[in-house]
Amino acid sequence: MRKQILVPLDGSAEAEQVLPHVKTAATGYHPPAKVIVFTAVKVWQEMGPNLGTVLLSRDRAVQKEQTGESPARQYLQKIADGLRSDGIDAEP
């Protein structure tokens, strides 16, 4: 059975400090573990210079989620892409 590592992220630099440890852990298995990055927050913060100060309204978050423009989805995709570029099997 293939191992999976779940990595909860909230968009903060503090949360991302776990990523080097995740890379080490994922490659410690044979075969290497799959990494799944996720957020459990329904109302996501807008990505940008005011990160942490501007919240999406619930309706706007749902609308962006349906159109695939969710800032959270884009953020998680960027993190997963970075992990993949380091040879880690990852997905948002």
Side-chain angles (χ1 to χ4, degrees):
M1 182 171 168
R2 186 159 185 210
K3 302 287 184 191
Q4 295 182 338
I5 299 173
L6 301 177
V7 182
L9 296 171
D10 63 5
S12 69
E14 290 83 4
E16 290 177 22
Q17 289 180 6
V18 73
L19 295 175
H21 303 289
V22 168
K23 291 175 190 177
T24 300
T27 57
Y29 292 101
H30 183 72
K34 180 176 197 163
V35 174
I36 300 172
V37 293
F38 71 96
T39 183
V41 179
K42 277 299 215 181
V43 179
W44 185 255
Q45 300 169 345
E46 291 246 11
M47 305 304 282
N50 296 323
L51 178 63
T53 60
V54 181
L55 292 177
L56 295 172
S57 70
R58 181 170 169 77
D59 291 339
R60 187 167 168 209
V62 170
Q63 179 184 11
K64 284 192 170 203
E65 185 79 19
Q66 291 171 347
T67 62
E69 299 173 10
S70 165
R73 193 176 300 270
Q74 291 172 3
Y75 167 74
L76 293 173
Q77 186 64 55
K78 180 182 134 201
I79 296 294
D81 289 347
L83 289 168
R84 283 194 294 271
S85 73
D86 290 335
I88 306 295
D89 184 12
E91 71 177 54

